Amino acid sequence: MAKPLHQPGVTIDGFRLEEIIHQGGMAMLWRVTRPGDALPMLMKVPRIGEGADPAAIVSFEMEQMILPRLFGVHVPKFIAAGDFSVQPYLVMEAIAGKALLARLPELPLPYAEVAAIGAKIATALDDLHRQHVVHLDIKPSNIMVRPSGEAVLLDYGLSHHEELPDLMQEEFRLPFGTAPYMSPEQLRGIRNDPRSDLFALGVLLYFFSTGVRPFGESESLRGMRRRLWRDPEPPRRLRPDYPPWLQEIVLRCLESEPAWRYPTAAQLAFELTHPDDVKLTGRSERLKRDPFTTVLRRRFNTDLMKLRPQAAVSDQLASAPIVAVAIDLEGAEELNDALRVTTGRMLATMPSARLACLNVLRQARIAIDTTLDEQGHNKHIDRIVRLKDWASPLRLADNRLTAHVIEAVDPAAAILEFTSANRVDHILIGARQNSLMRKLLGGVSAKVAAEADCTVTVVRPSLVSGAS
Amino acid sequence: MLIALFADIHANRPAFEACLAQARGYGAQRFVLLGDYVGYGANPDWAVSTVMDLVDGGAIAVLGNHDSAIANPREQLNVEARMVTEWTRGVLGTAQRKFLAELPLTQQSDDRLYVHADASQPKQWIYVASATEAAQSLIATSAHVSFCGHIHKPALYTMSATAKMTAFTPTTGAAIPLAVGRRWLAVLGSVGQPRDGNPAASYLMLDTAKNEITYCRAPYDIEAAAAAIRNQGLPTWLADRLFRGT
């Protein structure tokens, strides 16, 4: 069968080619329409045939396997796929607007904006990793932002899906990816570590906030390998007003050892949206790169080059959840004690988990609350102090613990909003024992348990017989 | 159409019953049996009769090395398997032994090939244990997808148009699309004696409409299967290993 020519007006399996949007080395992108379908759509057609790069074919096969299995706002919606034996193509939702690549002339961007973009991308990565996929080609041209605000990750041609054969693994001996963004472990052929995407996001954050790429643009394998032992210039050296918290986050993402980065994209998103809670380590203070002797030691340290056994994508995510605990500071002491015991038991098994302690400062519906109480104390700060005091017997490191006071009229709604906005995996909440209070206030724990989009544990103090 | 495929049932009645029930629950309309219906387990009579009934109903079945050994004392088997084979000969009736003796080594249907072990020399019962044997098996056939068993550990191999091999250990319950531009060899785990560390019975579902395969596991009453082995005076080691899935 003669293959249909790709030109405007041609119809392939009901999709009409309208205009060509992009013509790359691996594929062409067409804007397409289908009668009766209002969704804006794109058709991706791989370059195959005489002289085509075999990588283009395998990477297109991978994308054809992965994209139909993805769902949610952070990926383009899959519409249709064409068979390789007849006419290979992928039709997907066209996202309105431009890729982040279009922002390059504006670099460097304001710090707050970089953090906001970074948080959106980290949230999208968390969603993707939970769907068993490591993207492996995070860069500005593969990221768009929906008009509704969510980041969308494009192009799964180099991705790894934990539950599908990795056709790229065996096909090519050279690492695949985009040189400036590629993580050290990708250079060594490891394709199943979700933290590789956090490294690439770190490169993007560094670039967007300084205007300079942390590891240059070298495309040669030798040039790329330098990142295994050479640390980038600290951003504060390039921009003296660079906020320490942002340098802390960016340099942690760029650690050459994956275990020294954030354990999950959700935890990174959490830090980017809570700059005041970022624990500032030595990274945040650095003003110059590591001394030459340190670099030399790393360069010839064969341990660094060794491959370590990898945990599966889903196991890694499961070992580093965000746990939240809602504490009623006015509530019964024994309930808050029971909450602490349960929280402690849970965290004991998960050394990479982090704990967010929440307290809702109830606002009157009509009256404008002042932030000062009768004695003139700041209620907000007072509560943060008391939350940290509640948590102190748990003996968690600073970087594993945060305290949050949310001002709201409806406590249950505020807790639900916090868990969903911060990708909380598990929330612990106490059930009030006093039935009169419960009647008056409605069951906060009941509402959270019924409506949360994460796991909920409702804690009750065990009743001592004879106690009222 | 949904096709359920089973390999290495090895006379384990509770395991095969659990797989059949689960597969029928998923809507399996056809069945393929990849050999080794007998050996190791205590219900060869039931296993062969069940396979015969399924074949009467349109199922495809091929010969395994343990099945072949019933009529061929010269078939090479390990010590335990030889002892069980001798016992099995005294259990199976004439019709059952005739059924086993007449099973083909391979069967082809549409663009799919069914065989017990490696397809390049099916009578040699070569284990497909790595991409090397998988490539040898794939080169010997023209089918888009080959299915085999014999090694009791699930695995999936694929060969690209340029003969590059990829090996993959499948995840239970995750559908895998079989891209048309390349060739595939799906190695099934065992129904009656899993050896991949998971004691649940292993089988595979093929969706011909979506061109997808899913590796499935069915938990079953291991106590009952192990007790039956011990009650027949067969080597107790064969009962013990069922609990470990090794």
Side-chain angles (χ1 to χ4, degrees):
Chain A
M1 184 183 119
K3 292 199 168 158
L5 277 171
H6 295 104
Q7 54 184 33
V10 166
T11 299
I12 300 175
D13 294 349
F15 296 98
R16 192 185 135 94
L17 305 188
E18 300 294 347
E19 60 172 329
I20 191 155
I21 294 175
H22 175 76
Q23 199 147 11
M26 305 265 260
M28 295 184 286
L29 274 183
W30 285 84
R31 190 170 64 77
V32 296
T33 54
R34 183 165 61 173
D37 207 334
L39 188 76
M41 291 179 285
L42 284 182
M43 180 182 279
K44 188 171 187 175
V45 184
R47 288 183 167 272
I48 49 176
E50 276 307 299
D53 183 353
I57 298 169
V58 177
S59 122
F60 191 78
E61 280 182 302
M62 274 317 289
E63 190 163 25
Q64 255 195 349
M65 286 169 91
I66 293 174
L67 193 64
R69 277 160 175 72
L70 300 179
F71 54 87
V73 287
H74 300 115
V75 297
K77 188 173 185 292
F78 166 78
I79 311 283
D83 206 310
F84 247 89
S85 53
V86 189
Q87 173 65 53
Y89 64 79
L90 260 174
V91 180
M92 65 193 94
E93 169 195 11
I95 313 291
K98 288 196 166 118
L100 276 187
L101 189 67
R103 304 291 307 268
L104 260 46
E106 301 166 49
L107 302 188
L109 297 180
Y111 302 123
E113 193 181 356
V114 173
I117 293 172
K120 284 175 202 269
I121 301 169
T123 303
L125 281 173
D126 178 54
D127 190 6
L128 192 66
H129 294 164
R130 282 170 201 257
Q131 295 184 53
H132 310 283
V133 174
V134 189
H135 190 284
L136 297 175
D137 199 16
I138 289 297
K139 57 177 175 179
S141 58
N142 282 341
I143 300 164
M144 297 185 80
V145 178
R146 286 189 192 272
S148 50
E150 298 91 355
V152 183
L153 308 175
L154 311 175
D155 198 343
Y156 295 88
L158 299 180
S159 301
H160 169 86
H161 192 303
E162 188 182 17
E163 295 181 341
L164 296 175
D166 189 343
L167 305 177
M168 298 297 276
Q169 183 83 63
E170 296 299 318
E171 194 79 15
F172 308 100
R173 293 296 163 204
L174 286 175
F176 260 77
T178 304
Y181 295 88
M182 212 187 298
S183 68
E185 63 273 15
Q186 262 171 286
L187 285 168
R188 293 183 288 174
I190 294 175
R191 292 180 37 82
N192 62 349
D193 195 328
R195 294 168 300 192
S196 301
D197 288 340
L198 304 190
F199 183 92
L201 177 51
V203 173
L204 189 149
L205 292 175
Y206 187 110
F207 185 29
F208 273 47
S209 55
T210 63
V212 180
R213 290 182 182 86
F215 304 102
E217 291 174 66
S218 175
E219 297 275 347
S220 76
L221 196 56
R222 195 160 154 257
M224 290 197 293
R225 285 174 68 88
R226 200 169 296 128
R227 71 195 59 176
L228 289 173
W229 56 84
R230 193 61 173 124
D231 55 321
E233 293 280 7
R236 289 179 68 182
R237 187 183 167 91
L238 305 172
R239 290 184 74 183
D241 68 338
Y242 205 91
W245 61 267
L246 188 55
Q247 171 156 317
E248 176 73 34
I249 293 175
V250 170
L251 292 185
R252 186 163 171 198
C253 289
L254 294 179
E255 287 285 358
S256 63
E257 179 61 59
W260 297 356
R261 296 175 208 148
Y262 290 94
T264 64
Q267 292 205 16
L268 170 58
F270 193 96
E271 297 259 302
L272 284 165
T273 47
H274 299 90
D276 295 341
D277 293 322
V278 174
K279 184 189 181 187
L280 302 179
T281 70
R283 285 186 201 101
S284 68
E285 290 161 13
R286 269 158 50 187
L287 291 172
K288 47 185 180 206
R289 301 207 281 183
D290 288 334
F292 198 56
T293 45
T294 309
V295 174
L296 269 183
R297 207 163 41 233
R298 251 185 250 141
R299 170 73 180 84
F300 296 102
N301 176 358
T302 46
D303 257 10
L304 259 181
M305 311 296 288
K306 267 188 203 139
L307 299 178
R308 281 172 202 77
Q310 289 281 298
V313 176
S314 40
D315 293 347
Q316 269 193 41
L317 296 190
S319 71
I322 297 177
V323 178
V325 55
I327 296 156
D328 180 1
L329 293 167
E330 272 74 53
E333 186 118 349
E334 65 263 31
L335 180 56
N336 286 343
D337 289 345
L339 269 169
R340 193 189 301 109
V341 169
T342 310
T343 307
R345 277 187 203 136
M346 192 170 290
L347 293 176
T349 59
M350 300 179 294
S352 298
R354 62 185 296 163
L355 180 69
C357 304
L358 306 186
N359 175 254
V360 181
L361 183 55
R362 282 174 65 92
Q363 302 291 84
R365 236 170 249 276
I366 301 165
I368 297 166
D369 273 76
T370 76
T371 52
L372 301 180
D373 66 12
E374 297 83 41
Q375 278 83 44
H377 290 126
N378 186 318
K379 287 190 242 175
H380 203 97
I381 293 186
D382 175 55
R383 286 179 175 227
I384 295 269
V385 168
R386 287 166 65 196
L387 280 176
K388 293 208 162 156
D389 179 58
W390 174 89
S392 67
L394 294 170
R395 296 180 191 285
L396 294 175
D398 286 356
N399 59 348
R400 293 183 62 199
L401 175 74
T402 50
H404 311 263
V405 174
I406 316 166
E407 297 177 20
V409 175
D410 178 350
I415 292 168
L416 289 169
E417 197 188 316
F418 182 91
T419 54
S420 125
N422 291 291
R423 321 282 295 174
V424 168
D425 297 276
H426 193 153
I427 174 138
L428 295 102
I429 185 166
R432 267 194 291 264
Q433 294 302 298
N434 185 325
S435 60
L436 179 67
M437 282 285 280
R438 209 187 296 188
K439 239 180 232 164
L440 285 174
L441 296 174
V444 175
S445 58
K447 184 164 187 221
V448 170
E451 295 178 24
D453 49 13
C454 65
T455 304
V456 180
T457 298
V458 177
V459 174
R460 295 190 171 89
S462 35
L463 288 173
V464 182
S465 66
S468 62
Chain B
M1 184 173 54
L2 284 177
I3 304 177
L5 295 89
F6 308 98
D8 301 281
I9 296 162
H10 285 298
N12 185 335
R13 178 173 180 164
F16 191 29
E17 279 178 335
C19 290
L20 281 170
Q22 194 186 78
R24 287 189 169 120
Y26 289 150
Q29 293 142 300
R30 299 203 63 177
F31 300 98
V32 173
L33 302 132
L34 295 176
D36 276 6
Y37 313 109
V38 300
Y40 301 136
N43 303 107
D45 187 9
W46 178 86
V48 177
S49 300
T50 303
V51 170
M52 288 167 76
D53 289 347
L54 289 170
V55 169
D56 278 345
I60 289 175
V62 295
L63 181 74
N65 53 319
H66 286 251
D67 311 321
S68 169
I70 297 296
N72 285 315
R74 263 188 277 175
E75 199 72 73
Q76 296 284 320
L77 290 174
N78 62 48
V79 181
E80 276 92 0
R82 238 181 1 243
M83 179 191 164
V84 180
T85 299
E86 279 160 28
W87 170 79
T88 303
R89 276 192 203 108
V91 172
L92 295 181
T94 318
Q96 293 168 317
R97 281 181 282 120
K98 181 166 179 286
F99 171 79
L100 292 182
E102 289 173 357
L103 282 172
L105 282 166
T106 64
Q107 289 234 48
Q108 197 143 0
S109 164
D110 300 321
D111 54 355
R112 299 182 291 271
L113 176 84
Y114 304 114
V115 59
H116 180 62
D118 145 84
S120 67
Q121 302 166 76
K123 244 190 126 42
Q124 298 303 312
W125 316 112
I126 298 165
Y127 286 108
V128 177
S130 73
T132 314
E133 292 95 23
Q136 186 180 306
S137 182
L138 280 172
I139 289 165
T141 77
S142 59
H144 172 228
V145 195
S146 308
F147 294 92
C148 74
H150 192 44
I151 192 158
H152 294 215
K153 286 180 188 168
L156 180 63
Y157 299 95
T158 175
M159 183 187 265
S160 73
T162 52
K164 296 265 174 55
M165 295 297 296
T166 301
F168 179 63
T169 305
T171 310
T172 301
I176 302 164
L178 303 178
V180 177
R182 45 179 60 239
R183 306 194 33 230
W184 299 83
L185 172 58
V187 182
L188 275 71
S190 165
V191 171
Q193 196 196 70
R195 291 180 195 163
D196 62 340
N198 177 355
S202 179
Y203 70 101
L204 186 144
M205 294 285 286
L206 164 69
D207 185 330
T208 56
K210 291 187 185 161
N211 199 22
E212 284 179 352
I213 56 170
T214 306
Y215 285 81
C216 303
R217 296 313 276 249
Y220 72 97
D221 187 351
I222 302 177
E223 284 294 347
I229 289 172
R230 293 195 193 103
N231 290 343
Q232 293 299 334
L234 300 173
T236 54
W237 177 68
L238 295 174
D240 298 342
R241 70 185 299 180
L242 295 179
F243 293 96
R244 299 188 304 269
T246 55

